[in-house]
Amino acid sequence: MREERRQNHITALAAVTLLAVFAVSILLALLAGAGAYRRLVDRDAAAFDARTAAQYLATRVRQNDGADAVAVEDFWGADCLTLKEWNGGYVSQYVTRLYCYDGSLWELYTAADVEAELTDGERVMELDGLELSLEDGLLNAALTLKSGETETVILSLRSGEVGT
């Protein structure tokens, strides 16, 4: 009888040990899966941010791509994409400025003759840096994301002469 009890204890101990090993294995598999999932989500978020910033800039340029309507200027020490428009053929001219300041991409829409500052615009999205150049009808924009990655957008201006 003693030997039967001993056998039962050993069998029970083996079953509990096997259950514990199984539970630990499942927990490790779940943790590994969660880590992989987190990395995928972070990578997708960074890719989404890069695509969104690049598409935003490209869309704004395409909306205003007209003769002498797109220029790259210095705006209070920041590279600035200046998009000029004429309101329905009236004499008054309006300007949209896109620039990077204080860790964000900003947009400022004003009349051309208004003296504005960097903080007068609206924050559009997080962005660490924006470098712009415009040569021979090609706009080159290098966007530095919060992750430190750089997204480059090259646009060909199609509607006439460009400003400098």
Side-chain angles (χ1 to χ4, degrees), residues 18-62:
L18 185 60
L19 181 62
V21 167
F22 182 69
V24 168
S25 297
I26 288 176
L27 183 63
L28 290 175
L30 287 173
L31 289 174
Y37 179 74
R38 171 53 54 205
R39 287 189 299 277
L40 284 173
V41 167
D42 290 345
R43 186 193 71 196
D44 287 350
F48 176 79
D49 290 345
R51 284 190 312 268
T52 302
Q55 284 299 325
Y56 179 79
L57 197 67
T59 300
R60 296 298 287 144
V61 169
R62 288 181 184 125

Side-chain angles (χ1 to χ4, degrees), residues 62-132:
R62 288 181 184 125
Q63 288 173 342
N64 291 287
D65 188 6
D68 202 30
V70 178
V72 173
E73 300 174 348
D74 180 74
F75 183 58
W76 294 95
D79 273 358
C80 177
L81 180 61
T82 303
L83 307 170
K84 301 171 188 171
E85 65 182 73
W86 288 264
N87 190 8
Y90 295 109
V91 178
S92 59
Q93 181 182 9
Y94 293 89
V95 176
T96 300
R97 291 183 176 96
L98 299 171
Y99 54 93
C100 189
Y101 169 69
D102 194 28
S104 295
L105 178 66
W106 292 65
E107 180 175 324
L108 175 63
Y109 181 77
T110 63
D113 58 353
V114 171
E115 188 68 31
E117 295 185 16
L118 291 169
T119 56
D120 292 336
E122 295 285 329
R123 286 181 197 258
V124 177
M125 66 185 67
E126 289 186 350
L127 192 66
D128 269 352
L130 177 63
E131 294 179 25
L132 301 164

